[in-house]
Amino acid sequence: GINPFASATAYHLESFLKAVETGVLPPGHARDNRNTLALVIAAYDAAESGRTVEMKNYLAPKTARAN
């Protein structure tokens, strides 16, 4: 059968390889993924507690990046 994820997988693999070659961050890099996970965990915690939560408690501290 046809794999509906094949084109998405090919796109992300190509983006990753270009990033390795050029040193540019690919779309959907680890920091983006970590922030998405933080948002999901915060949403679960807010739903469970019935209270508003502060996203700053879920995000990694900002650090200086060497370019």
Side-chain angles (χ1 to χ4, degrees):
I2 296 175
N3 179 350
F5 301 105
S7 64
T9 300
Y11 169 78
H12 287 292
L13 180 58
E14 182 179 348
S15 296
F16 172 76
L17 294 174
K18 282 183 183 177
V20 170
E21 291 173 358
T22 64
V24 176
L25 287 176
H29 57 80
R31 188 177 306 112
D32 285 342
N33 294 333
R34 192 229 180 265
N35 289 341
T36 300
L37 181 58
L39 179 64
V40 170
I41 292 170
Y44 273 101
D45 287 352
E48 184 177 272
S49 69
R51 297 176 175 254
T52 302
V53 297
E54 292 288 331
M55 279 303 300
K56 68 182 179 184
N57 297 327
Y58 295 86
L59 298 173
K62 302 247 185 220
T63 58
R65 261 186 43 190
N67 288 334

